[in-house]
Amino acid sequence: MKIWFLSSALLVTTATFAQSASTEVPKNWYQLDKASTGYYGISLDKAYDFLKAKKLKSKQVLVAVIDGGIDTLHEDLKPVLWTNAKEIPGNGIDDDHNGYIDDVHGWNFLGGKDGRNVKEDSYEGARVYTALKAKYGEEIPEDSAVSDTQKNEIALYKKVKEKVAGEVNPAEIAFLKQILPGFLKGDSVITKELGKEEYNCTDLEKYNPTDANAKRTKVFLTQLCKGNNSNELTNKQIIDELNGELRKADAVENSPKEYRKEIVQDDEKDISDRFYGNKDIMTATPFHGTHCAGIIAAVRDNGKGIKGIADNVRIMMVRAVPDGDEHDKDIANAIRYAVENGAQVISMSFGKEFSPEKKWVDDAVKFAESKGVLLVHAAGNDAKNVDSTDNFPSPVYLDNGKKATNWITVGASGDPHTGSITANFSNYGKEQVDVFAPGVQIYSTIPGGNMYGNASGTSMACPVVAGTAALLLEYFPTLSAKQLKYIIEKSSVSPDTEVNVPGTTQKTKLSELCVSGGLLNAYEAVKLAASLQGERTKEVLPAPTMTKNKKG
């Protein structure tokens, strides 16, 4: 999933942007209380004051973060990492017989047994297009010429062909190919002179390059930050996005590179082939996962860095998200791994436009649902209405059209000080997005030596909700996943003004953009949870159909 809404800004040079950069806000603005500070935060301190006044004791909660990796050595995260007590570290033996060797703090489904790891991957649309093109050719058969079982596949082929081949603009791709080499040359100079591999627009403010390429790179990145209304867009994110757009265009003529196949070496077409990967959950791409994990669980009482939302949690990292589109099989197995190993809440900040094996993911979601595990998912960053635009994974089951009862989809909110109450990049949907939560200029842990920094996206809003759900479960451990979802939605607070439809200047009520019509509020949530304490929701849940093998 893109951290940044870049689609409208990728193909610009020195154009004037409609929005200005956001102003400085407190680093913890998203945790503040609006009534006392004026910021549209989640009233976290008031929530803790309420819990303290009630003299409630917390019970430790396990939160799984399915992402791209985590800095296991970070000062604010190392103490809160989940440790598999049944596994002896580094002995090369599957001590707990769960099928995963040395899974001490989680598991990496993007790794090989030889220790190598998948860093980047292709666009899912390209993978689907290539497979169906090989099966059906350039001419798509009419429905009358195929069997009933092929009609859904034909519909998918039509959709993916239009997306892959129909949206490629040769002039835009030519422009990308023209600017990328210069951007990379300038980037190499800037990283050397700043002394850091990843930098953002704030780092560039006082940087005055003399190299011509570095000057152009600075100007280009600065303009994108202005266009996205934030200074936290980084060089790495831009490079990944540019390369991703070029890979999409290349898919029209060429099969996408199979980045994963050579390294992971599982049978990707067999969901029962589950026991692949390796123990390396840090790898070379831990920025995104480290940032998300810190939002949920950074140690609150150590006097360092930041305070995570939940005060008594452990973080399990399940690596399944590369730079590029994740594979359905990896996501399905990541959810299943998290549930089997005790996760009570799963935070999922990723997404894509196509899901060729959605049935596998659906079955993993049903498995989580049957075990009472809450899934929290980022809505996406394309300023689109996901009531009518695909964004996967989704809570609507393919086989029966029902929605999972244990799933929360999160849009990103901000503050007038950061640009607007609704983030200009956030996806939305009156039926499919459940609640909005802070996702703009979120300050959290980043890898590279006990470092901290800002990032924006529904990817950040998702762990804000996951952390709040974990906080609720700590102090009210009898709550079901369905009750957690109900509490978070019911206790959300409607803003006292109309908001922007993301990506536009059009005004509307927040109730037109999400199910709850509100912004996450931890204080209101704990109050509501206290009123429901001791109650359980009785319901018949769909049974999973995922088959077991000899490992379970």
Side-chain angles (χ1 to χ4, degrees):
M1 174 177 287
K2 304 172 189 173
I3 298 179
W4 295 92
F5 175 53
L6 299 177
S7 58
S8 64
L10 269 172
L11 304 175
V12 297
T13 51
T14 56
T16 301
F17 288 87
Q19 294 177 311
S20 59
S22 54
T23 59
E24 283 295 318
V25 295
K27 291 178 179 177
N28 68 333
W29 79 263
Y30 62 98
Q31 298 183 359
L32 300 180
D33 174 63
K34 183 179 182 297
S36 58
T37 70
Y39 288 95
Y40 284 79
I42 66 171
S43 305
L44 186 61
D45 286 346
K46 283 183 70 175
Y48 275 106
D49 289 343
F50 176 86
L51 295 169
K52 184 177 180 181
K54 290 286 187 180
K55 297 182 179 180
L56 297 173
K57 300 289 185 181
S58 68
K59 182 179 180 180
Q60 193 171 98
V61 170
L62 178 56
V63 180
V65 177
I66 300 178
D67 213 292
I70 188 172
D71 184 350
T72 59
L73 303 178
H74 198 289
E75 62 184 2
D76 246 352
L77 295 177
K78 188 175 181 180
V80 297
L81 293 178
W82 169 68
T83 297
N84 184 353
K86 298 178 182 179
E87 196 74 23
I88 300 172
N91 69 350
I93 299 173
D94 180 17
D95 300 290
D96 60 357
H97 306 292
N98 71 348
Y100 303 96
I101 297 172
D102 289 336
D103 58 325
V104 177
H105 300 303
W107 191 251
N108 172 21
F109 284 100
L110 296 178
K113 289 182 171 57
D114 59 0
R116 292 185 298 160
N117 294 299
V118 179
K119 180 183 183 297
E120 61 182 341
D121 212 327
S122 54
Y123 168 51
E124 183 70 89
R127 301 194 291 255
V128 175
Y129 176 66
T130 298
L132 295 181
K133 182 179 178 181
K135 183 173 183 178
Y136 293 107
E138 288 288 352
E139 297 298 325
I140 299 178
E142 295 296 327
D143 284 354
S144 59
V146 299
S147 66
D148 289 341
T149 58
Q150 288 179 305
K151 286 181 180 178
N152 288 337
E153 196 171 63
I154 292 295
L156 175 61
Y157 187 24
K158 289 178 180 179
K159 183 182 292 187
V160 75
K161 184 176 182 181
E162 174 62 25
K163 194 71 180 179
V164 173
E167 294 188 359
V168 172
N169 185 320
E172 291 179 350
I173 297 304
F175 177 69
L176 287 178
K177 290 180 177 179
Q178 177 185 352
I179 65 170
L180 184 56
F183 185 91
L184 293 175
K185 288 179 181 178
D187 176 67
S188 66
V189 174
I190 295 173
T191 55
K192 183 177 181 180
E193 293 185 351
L194 290 182
K196 52 172 60 177
E197 289 298 314
E198 188 157 14
Y199 57 86
N200 59 27
C201 290
T202 300
D203 296 321
L204 294 177
E205 287 177 351
K206 296 181 180 179
Y207 170 65
N208 296 306
T210 57
D211 178 83
N213 285 313
K215 287 181 180 179
R216 285 191 287 269
T217 295
K218 177 184 175 180
V219 169
F220 183 69
L221 183 56
T222 300
Q223 289 170 343
L224 286 176
C225 284
K226 289 180 179 178
N228 284 274
N229 202 32
S230 176
N231 276 344
E232 279 69 55
L233 183 59
T234 73
N235 59 323
K236 294 297 185 185
Q237 291 161 348
I238 283 294
I239 292 169
D240 289 344
E241 192 68 27
L242 292 174
N243 283 326
E245 292 299 314
L246 291 175
R247 286 198 297 267
K248 288 181 183 181
D250 185 63
V252 177
E253 301 296 335
N254 303 300
S255 299
K257 182 177 178 181
E258 297 187 86
Y259 294 91
R260 182 185 176 283
K261 184 176 182 179
E262 178 191 353
I263 292 175
V264 179
Q265 296 187 354
D266 63 320
D267 183 351
E268 196 176 326
K269 296 181 180 180
D270 182 5
I271 188 60
S272 68
D273 179 14
R274 296 180 49 216
F275 303 101
Y276 57 90
N278 63 39
K279 64 181 180 179
D280 186 359
I281 58 171
M282 181 183 292
T283 73
T285 57
F287 179 93
H288 195 268
T290 299
H291 200 273
C292 290
I295 293 169
I296 297 168
V299 181
R300 291 183 57 84
D301 58 1
N302 62 353
K304 299 176 181 178
I306 64 166
K307 292 182 178 180
I309 291 172
D311 64 343
N312 189 11
V313 298
R314 291 294 179 265
I315 293 293
M316 172 197 295
M317 174 55 62
V318 190
R319 185 171 185 266
V321 184
D323 290 341
D325 282 349
E326 62 278 0
H327 289 250
D328 289 338
K329 180 181 178 181
D330 298 332
I331 297 306
N333 282 324
I335 292 171
R336 188 176 177 96
Y337 173 90
V339 174
E340 288 178 335
N341 287 280
Q344 296 153 281
V345 178
I346 301 178
S347 182
M348 307 187 298
S349 292
F350 52 84
K352 57 185 179 178
E353 295 174 284
F354 297 97
S355 182
E357 301 296 346
K358 178 170 167 53
K359 59 183 179 294
W360 293 348
V361 181
D362 281 357
D363 202 55
V365 173
K366 289 178 183 178
F367 178 62
E369 193 174 25
S370 72
K371 299 297 183 181
V373 178
L374 182 70
L375 305 178
V376 186
H377 183 239
N381 304 322
D382 299 305
K384 292 180 179 179
N385 185 341
V386 292
D387 288 350
S388 55
T389 303
D390 289 334
N391 182 54
F392 298 106
S394 74
V396 180
Y397 292 129
L398 197 62
D399 61 353
N400 59 23
K402 296 180 179 179
K403 290 182 69 173
T405 62
N406 62 327
W407 183 296
I408 299 176
T409 301
V410 187
S413 64
D415 183 273
H417 297 85
T418 68
S420 62
I421 294 174
T422 48
N424 66 340
F425 52 76
S426 181
N427 284 349
Y428 56 94
K430 189 175 182 178
E431 297 177 359
Q432 296 302 327
V433 174
D434 295 301
V435 69
F436 274 66
V440 180
Q441 287 186 237
I442 306 301
Y443 190 73
S444 184
T445 47
I446 59 176
N450 301 327
M451 297 174 64
Y452 303 83
N454 287 326
S456 295
T458 57
S459 285
M460 284 64 247
C462 173
V464 172
V465 173
T468 301
L471 177 66
L472 290 168
L473 204 52
E474 285 179 36
Y475 290 91
F476 307 99
T478 64
L479 292 173
S480 67
K482 185 175 180 179
Q483 284 178 311
L484 287 171
K485 175 180 170 68
Y486 170 82
I487 290 167
I488 285 170
E489 292 181 19
K490 189 71 174 178
S491 64
S492 64
V493 177
S494 298
D496 51 9
T497 182
E498 288 192 327
V499 300
N500 288 345
V501 177
T504 76
T505 57
Q506 177 186 343
K507 296 289 186 179
T508 190
K509 294 179 180 179
L510 189 57
S511 58
E512 294 299 311
L513 303 179
C514 67
V515 174
S516 67
L519 306 171
L520 177 74
N521 190 279
Y523 171 59
E524 295 296 334
V526 295
K527 285 200 303 178
L528 181 55
S531 73
L532 295 175
Q533 189 174 19
E535 297 182 14
R536 296 287 296 186
T537 300
K538 295 181 180 180
E539 57 188 329
V540 178
L541 299 175
T545 59
M546 187 176 268
T547 57
K548 292 185 177 183
N549 59 20
K550 64 181 180 180
K551 291 286 188 176

